[in-house]
Amino acid sequence: MTPEELRACCLGQNDAWEDFPFPANPGLSTFKVKGRIFAFSSLDEAPLRVSLKCEPEIALRLRETCPAVRPGWHLNKRHWNTVTLDGSLPDRVVREMVEDSWDLVVAGLPRWERLRLGGS
């Protein structure tokens, strides 16, 4: 997955937008829904990595089975994974991980916002 494909995948989530809120790291893209971050990536760095929210049990399983998946760098390691996009994971799997991260963030929104976004 290229940086452009990752950006498109993140922005393809319902009501998602990109922001650069960290002056100390101006190249760090944050992808948000309703002001809450569901993905982080420095799209111009190599290797390309993305940090995504994940269910704790699934996060542990992914880390055990996929060398490209590590605990979230500078994030709550229980809830975030940092994924190296080195080709070892199929793009489909990365897209599913982005979607799951978006779903988890939306699940934490007030009910009326979830319903507006098409969630439950």
Side-chain angles (χ1 to χ4, degrees), residues 42-81:
S42 292
L43 296 170
D44 57 352
E45 289 186 2
L48 179 60
R49 290 185 298 269
V50 62
S51 293
L52 300 165
K53 198 159 190 167
C54 191
E55 289 283 348
E57 302 79 28
I58 296 171
L60 289 173
R61 193 170 341 119
L62 286 168
R63 293 173 199 163
E64 291 171 356
T65 59
C66 305
V69 180
R70 313 292 279 166
W73 190 67
H74 286 295
L75 297 165
N76 181 328
K77 291 167 183 15
R78 178 169 157 76
H79 296 280
W80 288 85
N81 283 331

Coordinates of all heavy atoms in Angstrom, one line a residue, residues 42-81:
S42 N 2.9 9.2 9.4 CA 3.8 10.1 8.7 C 4.0 9.6 7.3 O 4.8 8.7 7.0 CB 5.2 10.1 9.4 OG 5.0 10.7 10.7
L43 N 3.1 10.1 6.4 CA 3.0 9.5 5.1 C 4.3 9.6 4.2 O 4.4 8.9 3.2 CB 1.8 10.1 4.4 CG 0.5 9.8 5.0 CD1 -0.6 10.7 4.4 CD2 0.1 8.4 4.9
D44 N 5.2 10.5 4.6 CA 6.4 10.7 3.8 C 7.6 9.9 4.4 O 8.7 10.0 3.9 CB 6.7 12.2 3.7 CG 6.9 12.9 5.1 OD1 6.6 12.2 6.1 OD2 7.3 14.0 5.1
E45 N 7.4 9.1 5.4 CA 8.5 8.4 6.0 C 8.6 7.0 5.4 O 7.6 6.4 5.0 CB 8.4 8.3 7.5 CG 8.6 9.6 8.2 CD 8.6 9.5 9.7 OE1 8.5 8.4 10.3 OE2 8.8 10.5 10.4
A46 N 9.8 6.4 5.4 CA 9.9 5.0 5.0 C 10.6 4.3 6.1 O 11.6 4.8 6.7 CB 10.8 5.0 3.7
P47 N 10.2 3.1 6.5 CA 9.0 2.5 5.9 C 7.7 3.2 6.3 O 7.6 3.8 7.4 CB 9.1 1.0 6.5 CG 9.8 1.2 7.8 CD 10.7 2.3 7.6
L48 N 6.7 3.0 5.5 CA 5.4 3.6 5.8 C 4.8 2.8 7.0 O 4.8 1.6 7.0 CB 4.5 3.5 4.6 CG 3.1 4.0 4.7 CD1 3.1 5.5 5.1 CD2 2.3 3.8 3.4
R49 N 4.3 3.5 8.0 CA 3.6 2.9 9.1 C 2.3 3.7 9.4 O 2.2 4.9 9.1 CB 4.5 3.0 10.3 CG 5.7 2.1 10.3 CD 6.5 2.1 11.6 NE 7.0 3.4 11.9 CZ 8.2 3.9 11.6 NH1 9.0 3.1 10.9 NH2 8.6 5.1 11.9
V50 N 1.4 3.0 10.0 CA 0.1 3.6 10.4 C -0.2 3.1 11.8 O -0.1 1.9 12.0 CB -1.0 3.4 9.4 CG1 -1.3 1.9 9.2 CG2 -2.3 4.2 9.7
S51 N -0.7 3.9 12.6 CA -1.2 3.5 14.0 C -2.7 3.5 14.0 O -3.3 4.5 13.5 CB -0.6 4.4 15.1 OG 0.8 4.3 15.1
L52 N -3.3 2.4 14.4 CA -4.7 2.2 14.4 C -5.2 1.7 15.7 O -4.6 0.9 16.3 CB -5.0 1.2 13.2 CG -4.6 1.6 11.8 CD1 -4.6 0.4 10.9 CD2 -5.5 2.7 11.3
K53 N -6.4 2.1 16.0 CA -7.1 1.6 17.2 C -7.5 0.2 16.9 O -7.8 -0.2 15.8 CB -8.3 2.5 17.5 CG -8.8 2.3 18.9 CD -9.6 3.5 19.4 CE -9.8 3.4 20.8 NZ -10.3 4.6 21.5
C54 N -7.5 -0.7 18.0 CA -7.9 -2.1 17.9 C -8.4 -2.6 19.2 O -8.0 -2.2 20.2 CB -6.6 -2.8 17.5 SG -6.9 -4.5 16.9
E55 N -9.4 -3.5 19.1 CA -9.8 -4.2 20.3 C -8.6 -4.9 20.9 O -7.8 -5.5 20.3 CB -10.9 -5.3 19.9 CG -12.2 -4.8 19.4 CD -13.1 -4.3 20.5 OE1 -12.7 -4.6 21.7 OE2 -14.1 -3.7 20.2
P56 N -8.5 -4.8 22.3 CA -7.3 -5.3 23.0 C -7.0 -6.8 22.7 O -5.8 -7.1 22.4 CB -7.6 -5.1 24.4 CG -8.5 -3.9 24.4 CD -9.4 -4.1 23.2
E57 N -8.0 -7.6 22.6 CA -7.8 -9.1 22.4 C -7.3 -9.3 21.0 O -6.4 -10.1 20.7 CB -9.0 -9.9 22.7 CG -9.6 -9.8 24.1 CD -10.4 -8.5 24.3 OE1 -11.0 -8.0 23.3 OE2 -10.4 -8.0 25.4
I58 N -7.9 -8.6 20.0 CA -7.5 -8.7 18.6 C -6.1 -8.2 18.4 O -5.2 -8.7 17.7 CB -8.5 -8.1 17.7 CG1 -9.8 -8.8 17.8 CG2 -8.0 -8.0 16.3 CD1 -11.0 -8.1 17.1
A59 N -5.8 -7.0 19.1 CA -4.5 -6.4 19.0 C -3.4 -7.4 19.4 O -2.4 -7.5 18.7 CB -4.4 -5.2 19.9
L60 N -3.6 -8.1 20.5 CA -2.6 -9.1 21.0 C -2.4 -10.2 20.0 O -1.3 -10.6 19.7 CB -3.0 -9.7 22.3 CG -2.9 -8.7 23.5 CD1 -3.5 -9.4 24.8 CD2 -1.4 -8.4 23.8
R61 N -3.5 -10.7 19.5 CA -3.5 -11.8 18.5 C -2.7 -11.4 17.2 O -1.9 -12.1 16.7 CB -4.9 -12.2 18.1 CG -4.9 -13.5 17.4 CD -6.3 -14.2 17.2 NE -7.3 -13.6 18.2 CZ -8.4 -13.0 17.8 NH1 -8.7 -12.8 16.5 NH2 -9.3 -12.6 18.7
L62 N -3.0 -10.1 16.7 CA -2.3 -9.6 15.5 C -0.8 -9.5 15.8 O 0.0 -9.9 14.9 CB -2.9 -8.3 15.1 CG -4.3 -8.3 14.5 CD1 -4.8 -6.9 14.4 CD2 -4.2 -9.0 13.1
R63 N -0.4 -9.0 17.0 CA 1.0 -8.9 17.3 C 1.7 -10.2 17.3 O 2.9 -10.3 17.0 CB 1.1 -8.1 18.6 CG 0.7 -6.7 18.6 CD 0.7 -6.1 19.9 NE -0.1 -4.9 20.0 CZ -0.6 -4.4 21.1 NH1 -0.2 -4.9 22.3 NH2 -1.3 -3.3 21.0
E64 N 1.0 -11.2 17.8 CA 1.6 -12.6 17.9 C 1.8 -13.2 16.5 O 2.7 -14.0 16.3 CB 0.7 -13.5 18.8 CG 0.8 -13.1 20.2 CD -0.3 -13.8 21.1 OE1 -1.0 -14.6 20.5 OE2 -0.3 -13.6 22.3
T65 N 0.9 -12.9 15.6 CA 0.9 -13.6 14.3 C 1.4 -12.8 13.2 O 1.8 -13.4 12.1 CB -0.6 -14.1 14.0 OG1 -1.4 -12.9 13.9 CG2 -1.1 -15.1 15.0
C66 N 1.5 -11.5 13.3 CA 2.0 -10.7 12.2 C 3.2 -9.8 12.6 O 3.0 -8.9 13.4 CB 0.9 -9.7 11.7 SG -0.6 -10.6 11.3
P67 N 4.4 -10.1 12.2 CA 5.6 -9.3 12.6 C 5.4 -7.8 12.2 O 6.1 -7.0 12.9 CB 6.7 -10.0 11.8 CG 6.3 -11.3 11.4 CD 4.8 -11.2 11.3
A68 N 4.6 -7.5 11.3 CA 4.5 -6.1 10.9 C 3.6 -5.3 11.9 O 3.5 -4.1 11.8 CB 3.9 -6.0 9.5
V69 N 2.9 -6.0 12.8 CA 2.0 -5.3 13.8 C 2.7 -5.3 15.1 O 3.1 -6.3 15.7 CB 0.7 -6.1 13.8 CG1 -0.2 -5.4 14.9 CG2 0.0 -6.2 12.5
R70 N 2.9 -4.1 15.6 CA 3.6 -3.9 16.9 C 2.7 -3.1 17.8 O 1.7 -2.4 17.3 CB 4.9 -3.1 16.7 CG 5.8 -3.7 15.6 CD 6.4 -5.0 15.8 NE 7.5 -4.8 16.7 CZ 8.1 -5.8 17.3 NH1 7.6 -7.0 17.2 NH2 9.1 -5.7 18.1
P71 N 2.9 -3.0 19.1 CA 2.2 -2.1 20.0 C 2.3 -0.7 19.5 O 3.3 -0.3 19.0 CB 2.9 -2.3 21.4 CG 3.5 -3.7 21.3 CD 3.9 -3.8 19.8
G72 N 1.2 0.1 19.7 CA 1.2 1.5 19.3 C 2.4 2.3 19.8 O 2.6 2.3 21.0
W73 N 3.1 2.9 18.9 CA 4.3 3.7 19.3 C 3.8 5.0 19.9 O 3.1 5.8 19.3 CB 5.1 3.9 18.1 CG 6.4 4.6 18.3 CD1 7.5 4.0 19.0 CD2 6.9 5.9 18.0 NE1 8.5 4.8 19.1 CE2 8.2 6.0 18.4 CE3 6.3 6.9 17.3 CZ2 8.9 7.2 18.3 CZ3 7.0 8.1 17.1 CH2 8.3 8.2 17.6
H74 N 4.2 5.3 21.2 CA 3.8 6.5 21.9 C 2.3 6.5 22.1 O 1.7 7.6 22.2 CB 4.3 7.7 21.3 CG 5.8 7.9 21.4 ND1 6.4 8.1 22.6 CD2 6.8 8.0 20.5 CE1 7.7 8.3 22.5 NE2 7.9 8.2 21.2
L75 N 1.6 5.4 22.1 CA 0.2 5.4 22.3 C -0.2 4.3 23.4 O 0.7 3.5 23.8 CB -0.5 5.0 21.0 CG -0.3 6.0 19.8 CD1 -0.7 5.3 18.5 CD2 -1.1 7.2 20.1
N76 N -1.4 4.3 23.8 CA -1.9 3.3 24.7 C -1.7 1.9 24.0 O -2.5 1.6 23.1 CB -3.3 3.5 25.1 CG -3.9 2.6 26.1 OD1 -3.5 1.4 26.1 ND2 -4.8 3.0 26.9
K77 N -0.8 1.1 24.5 CA -0.5 -0.1 23.8 C -1.6 -1.2 24.0 O -1.6 -2.2 23.2 CB 0.9 -0.7 24.4 CG 2.0 0.3 23.9 CD 3.3 0.1 24.5 CE 4.4 1.0 24.1 NZ 4.0 2.2 23.4
R78 N -2.5 -1.0 24.9 CA -3.6 -1.9 25.0 C -4.6 -1.7 23.8 O -5.2 -2.7 23.4 CB -4.3 -1.7 26.3 CG -5.5 -2.5 26.6 CD -6.0 -2.4 28.0 NE -7.3 -2.8 28.2 CZ -7.8 -4.0 28.2 NH1 -7.0 -5.0 28.0 NH2 -9.1 -4.3 28.4
H79 N -4.7 -0.5 23.4 CA -5.8 -0.2 22.4 C -5.3 0.2 21.0 O -6.1 0.4 20.1 CB -6.6 1.0 22.9 CG -7.4 0.6 24.1 ND1 -8.5 -0.1 24.1 CD2 -7.1 0.9 25.4 CE1 -9.0 -0.3 25.4 NE2 -8.1 0.3 26.2
W80 N -3.9 0.4 20.8 CA -3.4 0.9 19.5 C -2.3 0.0 19.0 O -1.4 -0.5 19.8 CB -2.8 2.3 19.7 CG -3.9 3.3 19.9 CD1 -4.5 3.7 21.0 CD2 -4.5 4.1 18.8 NE1 -5.4 4.7 20.8 CE2 -5.4 5.0 19.4 CE3 -4.3 4.2 17.4 CZ2 -6.2 5.9 18.7 CZ3 -5.0 5.1 16.7 CH2 -6.0 5.9 17.3
N81 N -2.3 -0.3 17.7 CA -1.2 -1.0 17.1 C -0.6 -0.1 16.1 O -1.2 0.8 15.5 CB -1.8 -2.2 16.3 CG -2.1 -3.4 17.1 OD1 -1.5 -3.6 18.2 ND2 -3.0 -4.2 16.7

